[in-house]
Amino acid sequence: MPDPRGRLLGTLDDGRPVRAHVIGAAPGPLVEVLDLGAAVRRLEVTGGDGARRDVTLGYAGAQEYADGGYFLGAVVGRYANRIADGTFTLDGREVRVGTSDRGHHLHGGPAGFDTRTWDVLSHGPDHVELGLLSEDGDQGFPGRLAVTARYEVAGESVRLVLGAETDAPTLVNLTSHLYLDLDGHGVDDLLLEVPADGYLPVDATGIPLGPVEPVEGTPFDLREPTRLGDVARSGHPQVAAAQGLDHTLVVRGTGQRTVATLTSARTGTRVTIGSDRPGLQVYTGNFLDGRHPRRDGTLLRQGDGIALEPQLFPDTPHHPHFGSAVLRPGETYRHEISWTFGAL
């Protein structure tokens, strides 16, 4: 059995140890999960060319995870993506939450779940489950929220099950901010397919303008496999303003289903992503700026990886037609994300 304490990766400047927990084994996926941010630091798979490689972006050391600001591999929350101006109304009460992105709330605020040390609840050869208690008022959110993140490896798939319960009405929108890099050459030559007929245009600060717009005739039409480099350089005003893709696509269907397929022709490798959420945030690493080294010592730069983040729509509290992100006492939040790898 694996050591429940994990392997010490390093100690943060504030004295907290950061430990790594490994699940899975070759020839299937091998995943290294940190107790800091419940983050995936390493994800090794066997490519279609038969070679083993790490297909995610991870920092070289522990402190980078506390300082980085890129959310590399982390579970983000309480609310993934943005809430305009860091304010919303819940049951007639105005709530103010932490802001960290151009005056808006992003991915849980300045001290979101990606910055926290999670408890390891269970660890076996093919799974690790972590838990986090977010107290009432954490980053401004009401309610005491108990959160779990369970990673499992089975066959060629990695599954993440996110859960939460609260003792008072609150907002919850959890996701994984895993960055994929299928062949070690960045995202330009990767092919992305997303079964989405609509997308959410945003303003200059990343806040949805409101209506869902059709993808037809835009770079956001990813209904067939599309080279990401061509999308990022399309010249479309939405793409130019975001310096790439940083938009929510409205995925067809409901329930657990395929929300994206990413392919590397270079290595003959494909990953299929499953989720039950209505939206998929597609982010092409536009603001990776060379400040931090990745695991192999090279600096993380724009376009080195792509984050495909299944989630509720951004800024849902201000757009009733987006649905609801409210979790109430007695309800259980559950979100399953899967990554299934295979050869072309």
Side-chain angles (χ1 to χ4, degrees), residues 128-184:
V128 61
E129 183 170 2
L130 304 102
L132 180 69
L133 188 61
S134 176
E135 295 290 354
D136 177 42
D138 184 4
Q139 298 297 288
F141 286 96
R144 191 171 190 254
L145 193 74
V147 184
T148 56
R150 181 181 175 92
Y151 291 93
E152 302 172 349
V153 174
E156 298 304 317
S157 294
V158 178
R159 184 170 74 149
L160 170 61
V161 180
L162 299 167
E165 294 182 345
T166 183
D167 67 357
T170 192
L171 297 189
V172 182
N173 180 30
L174 306 175
T175 194
S176 165
H177 209 287
L178 183 79
Y179 286 84
L180 290 163
D181 176 19
L182 293 186
D183 57 21

Side-chain angles (χ1 to χ4, degrees), residues 248-273:
T248 294
L249 299 185
V250 181
V251 182
R252 220 179 284 138
T254 59
Q256 197 71 21
R257 65 210 186 280
T258 296
V259 298
T261 303
L262 188 68
T263 303
S264 166
R266 187 190 302 266
T267 65
T269 305
R270 173 183 291 121
V271 57
T272 301
I273 299 165

